[in-house]
Amino acid sequence: MQSEELLRQQVDAINHKNMKELYDKFKELYGFESGVTTPRSLRKRIIYRLQEIYFGGVESVDMGILDEIADKDPLANLRGVATRRAKVCGTKLFRVWKGKKYEVTVGAHGKYILNGEEFKSLSVVARRITGTKWNGKTFFGVKS
């Protein structure tokens, strides 16, 4: 069966799920619980994530470029002015994923260290942990 047909079947199933099932599916796909929202919004977010899994999402390099553009645009962040956080060598970031706690340390020259292995970005670290594409800042909760 082709991936497009599998995706269509999953989308159809999502459209028939109740709220509890939607919350469970969201947590399964994103690795964290959704805030209070509407069924329509949850369905859109779940279907978007399924499409990312089946067809691929925005590449980390492109996402980094978009983040930089948004950080410089005060209208891009409706919660207020974006603030940049300095990458201080030795800073530790923690994340629990599927019951396992991960610790990442900011190394020299903006590198990130997970289990003794050095990575060029948090997105690469998040991908190593989850097996799927993530915005690293979002995954570790360091984006304001």
Side-chain angles (χ1 to χ4, degrees):
M1 188 178 292
Q2 289 185 319
S3 62
E4 284 122 15
E5 181 58 29
L6 286 171
L7 178 60
R8 275 191 211 100
Q9 289 176 358
Q10 289 217 13
V11 168
D12 187 51
I14 294 302
N15 285 324
H16 292 91
K17 290 188 181 293
N18 64 37
M19 204 57 183
K20 182 190 179 327
E21 292 168 326
L22 290 172
Y23 277 120
D24 291 344
K25 187 67 173 179
F26 181 93
K27 186 170 183 178
E28 173 189 332
L29 291 172
Y30 283 93
F32 57 90
E33 292 183 4
S34 168
V36 176
T37 187
T38 65
R40 181 174 185 251
S41 176
L42 264 181
R43 283 187 178 98
K44 283 182 171 186
R45 292 172 70 191
I46 290 168
I47 291 168
Y48 175 85
R49 184 70 179 118
L50 288 171
Q51 290 172 336
E52 267 189 325
I53 291 167
Y54 278 89
F55 302 121
V58 178
E59 294 291 328
S60 348
V61 172
D62 296 330
M63 187 58 80
I65 292 167
L66 292 172
D67 282 342
E68 285 180 28
I69 292 168
D71 285 347
K72 294 175 186 171
D73 182 355
L75 296 177
N77 185 348
L78 299 178
R79 292 185 197 150
V81 177
T83 58
R84 289 196 158 260
R85 294 185 179 161
K87 296 178 193 172
V88 178
C89 189
T91 299
K92 296 196 181 298
L93 305 171
F94 299 93
R95 172 66 197 257
V96 176
W97 177 258
K98 295 194 175 183
K100 183 175 177 187
K101 185 176 182 180
Y102 294 89
E103 177 183 314
V104 175
T105 305
V106 177
H109 309 293
K111 303 285 185 177
Y112 298 91
I113 303 162
L114 172 70
N115 299 330
E117 190 175 351
E118 197 171 80
F119 297 89
K120 66 179 182 176
S121 73
L122 277 178
S123 295
V124 177
V125 175
R127 186 174 192 151
R128 172 64 59 90
I129 291 170
T130 66
T132 60
K133 292 180 184 177
W134 275 85
N135 176 300
K137 293 177 182 177
T138 302
F139 182 78
F140 284 96
V142 295
K143 184 157 175 132
S144 53

